[in-house]
Amino acid sequence: MVTRWIFSRRFSSQIQHSFVTTPIFYVNAAPHIGHLYSAVIADAIHRFNQITRPAESGDCFLSTGTDEHGLKIQQAAIKHSTSTEDYCDAISSKYRELFGRFQIDYSRFIRTTDTDHRQAVQAFWRSLAASDSIYSASYSGWYCVPDETFLTDSQLKENEHGEKCSLESGHPVEWTEEENYMFRLSRYQDDVRHWVKGLEGRRIQPDKFGRILLDWLEEPLPDISISRPMNRVSWGVPVPSDPSQSVYVWLDALVNYLTVAGYPKESFRTRWPPTVQVLGKDILKFHGIYWPAFLLAAQIEPPRQLLVHSHWTVDNQKMSKSKQNVVDPNERAELYTYEGLRYFLLREGVAHSDGNYSDTKVLRILNSELADTLGNLLSRCCGKALNAESIFPAVDREALDALKEIDATKRMLEALEEMPDKASSHYKNYNFYLVVDTIVHLLHTANNFFETTAPWKLKKSDNPADRAKLNTILSVTMEVLRQAGIAAQPIVPGLSKQLLDKLQIVPTARRWNDLQVSFRTQDATLAQDECILFRRIMPPVQKTDPDQNRSEKRPTKKKKQAA
C-alpha cells in the first residue's frame, strides 16, 4: 500500500507558485468554441494570479498545447492525404494562432511531438516500472478509436443499428485482442480516493464532479492497458524497454504537465505540483483517477486542484459536425471581436452546467454591457462635449460632499467600496460570471449617478462652483472606470488595457492592491487616442436569393407596362 506522506506534506506546506494548465487539445480536427472555453478559463485564473500575487511569492506559469499521438491521428492524416507530421503541424498551428488572437497568455505551448516531452514520457515510464506498477499481459476488450480508450461492458450501449458504442460519447467501438503492458490501477484506489477528498473537500471543483469521482471509486478499479502494439499504433512514443510497443496515448498526454514543469530534471519540483488544472467534464476520469494514480506510483505529488467545466450547446442542441452547428471562434470573432467573444464565454459559462451558445444572446450581451454600459460611460467622460480639455480632473472636496447627499452617489460609492472584495472572492471560486455581475453592477450605478447629476447641464454654466461640480462628477466616474478596468483585466485584457491606457494609468498601477478608492487631487491629461471602447454590433444582414429578388421585381415591371 502506498503511504500517505505526500498528502500530509502538502497540507503542512504553503505552495508559493502559481501553475495553471489547460488540457492539451487533440489535433484530429480544428479548434472550436469548447476548446477556447477551456483556454480562456485557465487564462483568467492565470491573469488574476499575476495581478494579485506579490512578486516575491514566485512566478506564474500557464501551459497549454496539443496532443498529437495515437491511432486517431494516424487515421486523420490518411483521410487528409498528408503525412502525419504535416497534419499535426497544420492543426497545432491553428490552436497556437487561435490562442494568440484571444490573448491566452501561455508560458509554454507544448506539443507531444516535442523532443523534451518524448524524453519525459520515457523517464516517467521507467519510474512506473521501478515501482513495480507495470506488468505485461494479454489484453482483450472494446476499444473506442475516436475516444482513444478501452471501455468496460458497463460503459457500452447499442446504437440504433444494434452496434456497440460508447455510452458517453456514442462513438463506435471495436473488439481488440493484443499483448499490452498493464498498470496496477487497483493498487492505488484507496490513495486516489483519499486524494479526491483532500484540500478540505475542495480538491475537485465544482463539488458535483468530486461526487462523480467518488461514485466511480466505490467500484473496484480494474488494471488498465498503458501501451499498444507498434504495428497498430506506430505514431507514438516507444516504450523504452520494448520498442515493439508504443506508450498509450492518454499516459503520453498526461505527462505533458510534468514536461512543462521541467521533468525529469529534479528542478521540476520548484514548479510542481500544478495549483489548478482546467479540464472538460468528458476527460474527468483520466485526470481524476488515472492521473493521480500514475503520479502516486511514481512518488510524485498529484495536482492541488482540478477545475472541471461543462460543455457548450448551440441553440440548446449538442454541438456536432453532423448537425453542422460547430461554432468556429475565428469566424464568430469577425462579427463580435475577439475580446467580445472571450467576454461572452466567461460571462455566460458556468462550470457546473452546460452553457448555451446563441448568436442572439451574444449580440444582446455585448451591446448592452460592453458598448452601452462600459463603452458609452467612458465616451461621455472623455468626449469633447463635457471634457474639452481632455483631462482626468481633480476632485473638489466641497462639490464631492454635496454630491454625497444624493442617493445615486451613495449607491455608487457603496458599490465601489464593495467591488474589490466581492470580485476577488468570485475569482478565487472560479465564478467568472459573478465577477462580471459585480463589475457591471458597479458600472450601472455609475451610469445612474451620471444621469442623476446631469453634468451636461453644468457645462452651460459660467459659475465656478458648477465647473468644480462638473469636474468632480467626471473624476468620480473615471475612478469607477479605473477600478472596473483593473478588476476586468483577467476577463477582457485587451479592453481593460485600452481603458486604462486612455485614463493614463501606468502599468505598475494596475495590480489588485491598487483597487483602493483614490480621488484625484490634481488634474491629469488623458491619452489623446479615440475613446470609443467597444462599438455597438449590428446584426448581419440576411442574404437573400438573387433569383428570388428578380422574380419579385418582375410583376412590378409588368404592372408599370400595363399602366
Side-chain angles (χ1 to χ4, degrees), residues 364-396:
R364 174 176 54 79
I365 288 174
L366 298 188
N367 281 340
S368 171
E369 297 181 358
L370 292 187
D372 298 345
T373 302
L374 175 59
N376 189 47
L377 187 62
L378 179 67
S379 294
R380 296 172 85 179
C381 287
C382 302
K384 295 296 182 183
L386 293 180
N387 194 346
E389 297 176 347
S390 192
I391 58 171
F392 193 146
V395 164
D396 182 271

Side-chain angles (χ1 to χ4, degrees), residues 227-247:
S227 75
R228 300 295 308 277
M230 190 66 81
N231 59 10
R232 289 197 179 187
V233 186
S234 59
W235 186 244
V237 178
V239 170
S241 59
D242 185 355
S244 71
Q245 296 271 319
S246 62
V247 177

Side-chain angles (χ1 to χ4, degrees), residues 257-518:
Y257 306 123
L258 285 165
T259 306
V260 299
Y263 182 86
K265 295 177 182 176
E266 189 60 25
S267 59
F268 91 95
R269 296 185 188 277
T270 61
R271 176 160 291 135
W272 198 264
T275 44
V276 58
Q277 298 204 263
V278 177
L279 57 133
K281 65 181 182 180
D282 55 320
I283 53 177
L284 175 60
K285 180 173 286 186
F286 297 100
H287 285 78
I289 295 180
Y290 300 164
W291 179 223
F294 291 150
L295 290 167
L296 289 166
Q299 289 291 291
I300 297 173
E301 189 172 347
R304 187 169 178 80
Q305 193 173 47
L306 302 184
L307 173 59
V308 188
H309 66 76
S310 298
H311 294 162
W312 283 87
T313 59
V314 179
D315 294 324
N316 294 310
Q317 292 191 348
K318 185 177 179 180
M319 195 162 44
S320 69
K321 292 180 183 177
S322 61
K323 293 179 181 176
Q324 297 185 327
N325 66 347
V326 176
V327 179
D328 178 352
N330 286 311
E331 186 263 333
R332 301 322 293 150
E334 290 182 10
L335 176 61
Y336 302 128
T337 74
Y338 294 104
E339 287 284 285
L341 193 54
R342 178 185 170 114
Y343 179 85
F344 172 79
L345 291 175
L346 291 171
R347 206 279 180 255
E348 280 297 295
V350 292
H352 55 76
S353 303
D354 288 349
N356 181 47
Y357 178 91
S358 160
D359 283 314
T360 302
K361 191 190 296 183
V362 179
L363 197 69
R364 174 176 54 79
I365 288 174
L366 298 188
N367 281 340
S368 171
E369 297 181 358
L370 292 187
D372 298 345
T373 302
L374 175 59
N376 189 47
L377 187 62
L378 179 67
S379 294
R380 296 172 85 179
C381 287
C382 302
K384 295 296 182 183
L386 293 180
N387 194 346
E389 297 176 347
S390 192
I391 58 171
F392 193 146
V395 164
D396 182 271
R397 284 294 164 182
E398 287 188 15
L400 180 60
D401 289 341
L403 287 168
K404 285 181 177 179
E405 298 300 316
I406 302 171
D407 286 343
T409 311
K410 293 176 183 177
R411 287 192 296 270
M412 180 189 66
L413 293 178
E414 182 181 343
L416 188 59
E417 288 286 351
E418 293 176 347
M419 186 274 289
D421 286 345
K422 283 186 174 181
S424 176
S425 175
H426 295 320
Y427 270 125
K428 289 174 182 176
N429 289 309
Y430 314 126
N431 290 322
F432 305 109
Y433 71 102
L434 292 178
V435 174
V436 176
D437 275 348
T438 303
I439 296 171
V440 169
H441 170 68
L442 171 61
L443 292 171
H444 281 158
T445 65
N447 273 286
N448 180 250
F449 163 77
F450 208 80
E451 288 292 325
T452 302
T453 54
W456 53 89
K457 293 179 181 178
L458 301 170
K459 178 70 175 176
K460 301 173 184 177
S461 173
D462 293 327
N463 187 328
D466 287 339
R467 172 63 59 181
K469 188 176 181 182
L470 167 62
N471 282 342
T472 299
I473 292 168
L474 294 178
S475 187
V476 170
T477 306
M478 288 185 193
E479 171 62 12
V480 169
L481 288 165
R482 180 188 74 85
Q483 295 214 30
I486 291 172
Q489 287 176 103
I491 307 291
V492 276
L495 279 181
S496 295
K497 181 180 185 301
Q498 189 180 344
L499 167 60
L500 296 170
D501 285 351
K502 179 63 184 177
L503 298 179
Q504 294 279 50
I505 308 302
V506 296
T508 53
R510 300 180 183 185
R511 298 184 62 78
W512 201 263
N513 59 13
D514 294 306
L515 289 178
Q516 292 103 20
V517 177
S518 176

Side-chain angles (χ1 to χ4, degrees), residues 536-549:
R536 282 186 63 84
I537 301 168
M538 300 303 295
V541 178
Q542 295 294 321
K543 295 181 180 179
T544 56
D545 185 346
D547 293 334
Q548 182 180 1
N549 288 343

Side-chain angles (χ1 to χ4, degrees), residues 7-23:
F7 301 111
S8 61
R9 185 186 70 169
R10 180 173 57 251
F11 291 156
S12 62
S13 65
Q14 294 293 320
I15 293 177
Q16 296 298 309
H17 62 267
S18 166
F19 178 16
V20 183
T21 72
T22 76

